Amino acid sequence: MAVAPSNQRIWQKKLARQARLRFVGSLCAGLPEVVVQMQAVLNQMLAKPEDDSVHLHLALTAAAKEFENRQVWLDAANRRLRQSLLTGDEAAARATVPVTSFELVTDEAMEGKIIASRLTAQMMEELGSSFDGVRRVTQFLEGQDLLATDVLRPDTWCLRLIEAWEDAKWERGTLTLMRDCLLEQLGQLGRKAYEGIERFYEE
């Protein structure tokens, strides 16, 4: 029996909503392993530092101390990612309202966006095809392209993870120190999450 157009549209939007829930669930489930791998790399750097400078030693020591409280970042990341499911549409709606006053943006917030933007740009080289497939199907289901704040966008969920880093009060130096490892691990995590959504849509 054919599905009425209005009911079909409702069903398609529900399907896209389920995809986002699965995507965020996959990211959250994979983050503990990201931290484990970053901890392993940090341990290697502590054991055999390539640079014996005092500055590097202090940075490694600070990073090791922060990673002892890994759950703080994980909790913040989970909260930020899940909030994106609830506030994405609302944030996008606000973005369409004409700006009538200047908003103050802290240097830390701006720097966080810059770091997330750079991280996204590099990750898109690895995730471009997987993300594009998910984007096109979701666009078809909803009849519009992904909103600027959509959690399916790499720049959105990367920014949420950087914001979580700030929520955890972790040093920017640690982020810089672990940047290559973080990039590699998030690339693997993102690819797995997008591939999972592609399979979900196919099924």
Side-chain angles (χ1 to χ4, degrees):
M1 180 173 139
V3 181
S6 59
N7 290 338
Q8 181 174 348
R9 177 60 66 184
I10 293 173
W11 175 82
Q12 289 179 181
K13 289 187 176 182
K14 286 184 177 180
L15 187 63
R17 174 69 176 174
Q18 291 176 12
R20 289 186 178 86
L21 289 170
R22 286 171 177 259
F23 181 76
V24 168
S26 180
L27 291 180
C28 292
L31 284 176
E33 181 60 24
V34 170
V35 176
V36 168
Q37 294 302 320
M38 291 175 69
Q39 180 72 68
V41 170
L42 177 59
N43 291 341
Q44 292 176 1
M45 295 173 69
L46 282 167
K48 297 180 179 180
E50 297 179 359
D51 185 345
D52 294 328
S53 68
V54 174
H55 177 74
L56 177 60
H57 177 71
L58 291 174
L60 289 171
T61 301
K65 184 176 181 180
E66 288 180 343
F67 272 84
E68 290 178 359
N69 300 318
R70 64 184 66 179
Q71 195 60 46
V72 177
W73 180 64
L74 290 173
D75 289 344
N78 273 263
R79 183 179 66 255
R80 286 279 186 176
L81 288 170
R82 296 188 186 283
Q83 283 177 344
S84 293
L85 290 169
L86 301 175
T87 62
D89 292 343
E90 180 183 348
R94 289 199 303 269
T96 63
V97 178
V99 178
T100 56
S101 62
F102 291 103
E103 294 184 3
L104 295 178
V105 180
T106 65
D107 291 340
E108 288 189 355
M110 183 60 68
E111 186 178 352
K113 291 183 178 181
I114 292 173
I115 293 175
S117 177
R118 290 173 179 171
L119 183 65
T120 302
Q122 291 178 289
M123 288 182 60
M124 282 300 292
E125 295 182 7
E126 298 184 21
L127 302 177
S129 59
S130 297
F131 163 65
D132 190 56
V134 170
R135 182 193 63 79
R136 284 188 288 104
V137 176
T138 306
Q139 179 181 4
F140 168 77
L141 292 174
E142 297 183 323
Q144 63 180 21
D145 201 357
L146 301 183
L147 299 174
T149 54
D150 199 304
V151 72
L152 289 176
R153 289 186 175 276
D155 52 329
T156 296
W157 60 267
C158 281
L159 178 59
R160 297 298 170 261
L161 295 180
I162 298 302
E163 290 172 342
W165 195 286
E166 297 169 349
D167 291 342
K169 307 299 182 184
W170 284 9
E171 295 292 335
R172 281 284 167 76
T174 302
L175 180 59
T176 302
L177 193 66
M178 304 302 296
R179 178 177 167 277
D180 290 342
C181 178
L182 182 64
L183 177 62
E184 178 183 356
Q185 294 302 315
L186 290 184
Q188 295 177 12
L189 177 62
R191 187 181 304 108
K192 181 179 179 180
Y194 285 125
E195 289 174 351
I197 299 307
E198 286 183 312
R199 288 193 300 271
F200 171 69
Y201 279 152
E202 290 173 359
E203 293 170 358

